[in-house]
C-alpha cells in the first residue's frame, strides 16, 4: 500500500508526479476546506485538517490516486463574528476549484474528485463541478451531498458506541473526535464547552450567522468525543467515498 508521503502531491518532486501518472495514477483527490472558528477548543483549520486526512486516506485506499493540497479558505461568512475566520466569496472559491481542476487535467489525471469538508462549501462545489466537467478532459466526481456527509459522521459515532447525533454538525462530538484521531494535542480539552443541542435551523445559521444561535461557536456536546470514535468516523467516510468513486469511475 502506498505510504503517506507517496500519495501527497505537495510533498513530491515533479519527476515523481510525472512518473506516477505515466504508471497508472489516474485520480486526484481535492478536498475543499476552510479557515474558520470551531469553538474555543478546536483549531481554525479543523476543516482543512479533515480535508488533508480524508484525501490522503482515500488516495491510499484507491491505490492509484494522489491527494492534492486541500483548498482553503472557503465560504465562511456565517462565522465572521468569531475572530480568525477567513472567508471568500463563492465565486472566488469556484474559480480556485476550476483552476485546480484545469491544472490537474493538464498534468494527465483522468479523474478529479472534489471533497468538500466545510458545510458552506458544498453548494459552490455542487454548482461548479458540472461546469468544470464540460471544460476539461478529466472526469469530475463531486462528493457534495451535505446531508450524506453529516449522516456518515453521525453513523461513525454510533458505530463507535457513542449514541449522540446532531443534525447540524460543527465543533461538537463528531468533529472533536476527528481532530483527536488526527492529533490529540490539537484539541484544547480544558477549553471544551457545550453548545446548543437539538434542532438547529441551517437557514438561520447562514442568514443570521452562527453567533445568533451559539455564543461559543459550538453546536452540541464535544465532551462525547473520543479519538477511537474519530478513527471510526474516518473509516466510515472513506469507505463510503471510495465505493462512490469506484462506481463513478467505472461508469465513465
Amino acid at each position: 500500500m502506498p505510504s503517506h508521503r507517496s500519495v501527497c502531491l505537495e510533498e513530491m518532486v515533479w519527476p515523481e508526479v510525472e512518473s506516477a501518472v505515466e504508471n497508472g495514477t489516474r485520480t486526484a483527490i481535492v478536498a475543499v476546506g476552510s479557515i474558520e472558528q470551531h469553538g474555543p477548543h478546536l483549531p481554525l483549520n479543523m476543516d482543512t485538517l479533515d480535508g488533508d486526512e480524508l484525501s490522503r486516506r482515500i488516495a491510499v485506499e484507491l491505490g492509484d490516486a494522489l491527494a492534492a493540497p486541500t483548498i482553503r479558505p472557503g465560504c465562511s461568512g456565517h462565522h465572521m463574528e468569531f475572530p480568525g475566520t477567513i472567508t471568500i466569496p463563492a465565486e472566488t472559491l469556484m474559480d480556485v476549484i476550476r483552476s485546480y481542476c484545469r491544472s490537474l487535467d493538464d498534468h494527465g489525471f483522468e479523474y478529479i474528485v472534489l471533497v468538500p469538508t466545510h458545510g458552506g462549501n458544498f453548494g459552490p462545489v455542487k454548482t461548479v463541478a458540472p461546469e468544470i466537467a464540460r471544460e476539461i478532459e478529466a472526469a469530475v466526481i463531486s462528493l457534495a451531498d451535505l446531508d450524506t456527509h453529516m449522516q456518515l459522521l453521525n453513523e461513525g459515532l454510533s458505530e463507535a458506541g457513542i449514541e449522540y447525533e446532531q443534525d447540524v454538525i460543527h465543533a461538537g462530538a463528531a468533529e472533536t473526535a476527528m481532530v483527536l484521531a488526527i492529533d490529540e494535542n490539537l484539541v484544547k480539552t480544558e477549553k471544551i464547552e457545550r453548545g446548543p443541542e437539538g434542532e438547529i435551523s441551517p437557514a438561520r445559521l447562514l442568514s443570521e450567522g452562527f453567533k445568533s444561535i451559539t455564543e461559543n461557536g459550538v453546536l452540541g456536546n464535544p465532551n462525547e468525543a473520543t479519538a477511537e470514535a474519530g478513527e471510526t468516523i474516518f473509516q466510515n467516510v472513506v469507505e463510503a467515498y471510495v465505493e462512490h468513486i469506484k462506481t463513478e469511475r467505472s461508469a465513465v
Side-chain angles (χ1 to χ4, degrees), residues 18-167:
E18 181 179 62
S19 176
V21 173
E22 289 176 350
N23 287 287
T25 297
R26 56 194 186 134
T27 303
I29 315 297
V30 181
V32 189
S34 71
I35 300 295
E36 64 179 36
Q37 74 83 20
H38 276 80
H41 66 292
L42 293 183
L44 293 165
N45 68 340
M46 187 277 147
D47 290 331
T48 300
L49 290 168
D50 179 11
D52 289 344
E53 190 71 11
L54 277 179
S55 59
R56 180 185 66 81
R57 289 180 182 231
I58 291 169
V60 168
E61 190 67 25
L62 286 171
D64 60 352
L66 293 180
T70 299
I71 294 175
R72 59 179 182 175
C75 300
S76 302
H78 45 297
H79 292 284
M80 280 300 293
E81 289 181 283
F82 296 89
T85 298
I86 297 173
T87 189
I88 59 175
E91 294 78 10
T92 302
L93 178 61
M94 289 190 287
D95 282 344
V96 172
I97 296 170
R98 185 177 285 108
S99 295
Y100 255 61
C101 292
R102 286 173 176 167
S103 298
L104 295 166
D105 178 57
D106 283 347
H107 297 315
F109 289 95
E110 298 176 27
Y111 305 95
I112 301 171
V113 182
L114 301 177
V115 186
T117 53
H118 158 58
N121 294 344
F122 278 74
V125 169
K126 186 177 293 187
T127 297
V128 79
E131 297 175 8
I132 298 170
R134 292 190 292 268
E135 298 169 1
I136 64 176
E137 291 186 17
V140 179
I141 300 171
S142 171
L143 299 171
D145 187 320
L146 181 56
D147 289 339
T148 296
H149 184 73
M150 297 284 191
Q151 181 181 349
L152 289 170
L153 269 56
N154 280 319
E155 287 175 355
L157 283 176
S158 179
E159 289 171 17
I162 298 174
E163 295 304 324
Y164 187 84
E165 184 170 320
Q166 283 285 116
D167 291 337

Side-chain angles (χ1 to χ4, degrees), residues 3-4 37 103 117 125 132 146 169 179-180 189 217 227-228 244:
S3 68
H4 175 144
Q37 74 83 20
S103 298
T117 53
V125 169
I132 298 170
L146 181 56
I169 292 173
V179 179
L180 285 171
T189 53
E228 292 75 18
H244 183 90

